[in-house]
Amino acid sequence: EVQLVESGGGLVQAGGSLRLSCTTSGFTFDDYAIGWFRQAPGKEREGVSCIRSSDEMTYYADSVKGRFTISSDNAKNTVYLQMNSLKPEDAAVYYCAANLDYCTTIPGSYDYWGQGTQVTVSS
């Protein structure tokens, strides 16, 4: 059974930091790219970052470049999203998802999804 489980969300003040984790199982981790998406109320799901563990190729949305860092621990089949200098506009439910072989910002391209973790940023 494929599983992606996000954790690490919570409430933080603007300017603060959070580290999200996406722990995966049930598929060959090295064959997949893991993306982080977020969705705020009334907005479309937005691609935030992505990493392809086979070569550690990464992608960041312009809105998070320089503030967020994605990394992977292949031994633990886990991807992390370190979020620094958080802004109120970063508040959303954050999802991780797995896509075979490549990173993309198109949600429909991803094969597997986690249940999401809430990030709230107070101003």
Side-chain angles (χ1 to χ4, degrees):
E1 179 188 7
V2 172
Q3 285 192 317
L4 291 87
V5 180
E6 302 95 338
S7 61
L11 172 64
V12 64
Q13 287 188 332
S17 298
L18 285 172
R19 189 177 81 154
L20 305 183
S21 299
C22 174
T23 302
T24 74
S25 61
F27 59 93
T28 304
F29 186 76
D30 290 352
D31 290 344
Y32 281 76
I34 304 297
W36 283 99
F37 289 78
R38 66 186 181 188
Q39 190 165 21
K43 295 190 176 181
E44 292 187 353
R45 193 164 294 191
E46 171 192 17
V48 173
S49 185
C50 183
I51 187 166
R52 185 169 65 186
S53 58
S54 59
D55 59 3
E56 297 194 357
M57 186 203 74
T58 59
Y59 160 84
Y60 296 96
D62 287 343
S63 57
V64 306
K65 278 181 183 175
R67 300 188 298 121
F68 290 12
T69 303
I70 193 169
S71 62
S72 68
D73 184 335
N74 290 11
K76 295 182 178 180
N77 292 347
T78 298
V79 170
Y80 304 98
L81 186 67
Q82 178 68 44
M83 306 188 297
N84 298 330
S85 302
L86 282 161
K87 304 175 181 180
E89 53 263 42
D90 294 317
V93 177
Y94 282 71
Y95 301 89
C96 64
N99 183 49
L100 185 63
D101 192 48
Y102 64 93
C103 283
T104 173
T105 59
I106 302 172
S109 296
Y110 284 76
D111 301 305
Y112 309 114
W113 288 84
Q115 81 289 349
T117 185
Q118 178 72 50
V119 171
T120 304
V121 184
S122 63
S123 56

